Amino acid sequence: MRVLVIEDDEELAQAVAVGLRRATMAVDVAFDGPSGLERALVNDYDVVVLDRDLPGLHGDEVCARLILAESRSRVLMLTAAATSEDLVDGLGIGADDYLPKPFDFPVLVARIGALARRAHPVAPPVLRHRDIVVDTARRSAARGGRDLDLAPKEFGVLEVLLAAEGRAVSAEELLERVWDESADPFTKTVKVTISRLRAKLGDPPVIDTVAKSGYRI
């Protein structure tokens, strides 16, 4: 799951980013409207967490431009205002969900997860392949009834591969979906993560390497 946080309060933005990364999400951060809009249009985010009161370009305008560009990203709007009129306005301009500040962090995580599932409706909240079970809502994975202690990137890769339902997923797509914009596309990070994931999944092996195509379950 890849998320963009657009929030001008840098301390809050970084705190949210750290918390979401601990919840196994790949997170990019922008601190104003123009840079946030640019990132949202260039990258394929599942969810954009958008503060409404942004410098440079108001959050309402950012949301409107994303809709005009037919962005597939779901928008969760944040605001310090909590009246029913503000909620109606936020949803009226095209936001998919609305959360007033201050908010409970588990609620934010749950709503992001719900929006991400709507962004990719073909993937159910629980993914299964033979004796492998991945619960995307609880961020847990097991094989043969044995809990898998997966690092965030390992979990993300397994989630993407299972959701692909047998389709080969390229290393480039895995980088786009699981890592944030700071990932170096020329490193072997995907290969190393796949190797560690294979070891934790154990036998019999379930992740195949497809020549010139990537990896598949």
Side-chain angles (χ1 to χ4, degrees):
M1 189 187 308
R2 191 167 182 189
V3 178
L4 173 64
V5 177
I6 311 177
E7 166 64 61
D8 65 318
D9 183 332
E10 295 191 19
E11 184 176 354
L12 174 60
Q14 295 294 2
V16 168
V18 168
L20 295 180
R21 288 172 184 140
R22 288 174 178 167
T24 73
M25 302 180 194
V27 185
D28 295 330
V29 179
F31 302 116
D32 58 60
S35 63
L37 177 62
E38 180 181 9
R39 281 182 170 85
L41 293 176
V42 169
N43 299 303
D44 185 19
Y45 295 103
D46 297 297
V47 179
V48 175
V49 179
L50 176 65
D51 182 39
R52 193 173 186 188
D53 299 311
L54 289 170
L57 190 66
H58 196 273
D60 290 1
E61 183 64 21
V62 172
C63 185
R65 294 193 189 185
L66 289 177
I67 293 170
L68 185 63
E70 299 182 348
S71 170
R72 296 186 301 170
S73 302
R74 300 294 182 175
V75 175
L76 171 59
M77 186 166 284
L78 302 177
T79 180
T83 66
S84 58
E85 290 81 3
D86 291 307
L87 187 151
V88 170
D89 288 344
L91 297 177
I93 62 172
D96 297 281
D97 200 357
Y98 188 98
L99 192 61
K101 300 176 183 177
F103 49 82
D104 290 330
F105 193 77
V107 173
L108 175 65
V109 172
R111 290 195 176 186
I112 289 174
L115 289 178
R117 289 191 292 274
R118 287 168 55 190
H120 300 280
V122 295
V126 177
L127 303 170
R128 302 176 186 272
H129 176 79
R130 298 180 183 173
D131 60 347
I132 299 174
V133 180
V134 170
D135 189 323
T136 61
R138 293 182 172 84
R139 315 307 290 172
S140 63
R143 184 174 192 184
R146 172 178 60 90
D147 290 338
L148 300 173
D149 184 18
L150 302 182
K153 301 308 179 191
E154 295 163 358
F155 184 95
V157 167
L158 181 59
E159 181 181 0
V160 172
L161 291 179
L162 285 174
E165 298 183 326
R167 173 180 63 86
V169 181
S170 69
E172 291 77 13
E173 183 178 346
L174 287 171
L175 274 174
E176 173 71 22
R177 295 289 303 281
V178 180
W179 278 263
D180 58 32
E181 62 186 1
S182 63
D184 184 350
F186 300 105
T187 65
K188 295 182 179 179
T189 185
V190 172
K191 185 176 181 179
V192 170
T193 301
I194 289 285
S195 177
R196 292 175 177 168
L197 179 58
R198 281 173 168 154
K200 291 185 178 182
L201 286 170
D203 294 322
V206 293
I207 300 178
D208 294 331
T209 300
V210 183
K212 298 181 180 180
S213 296
Y215 307 92
R216 72 181 175 196
I217 296 287

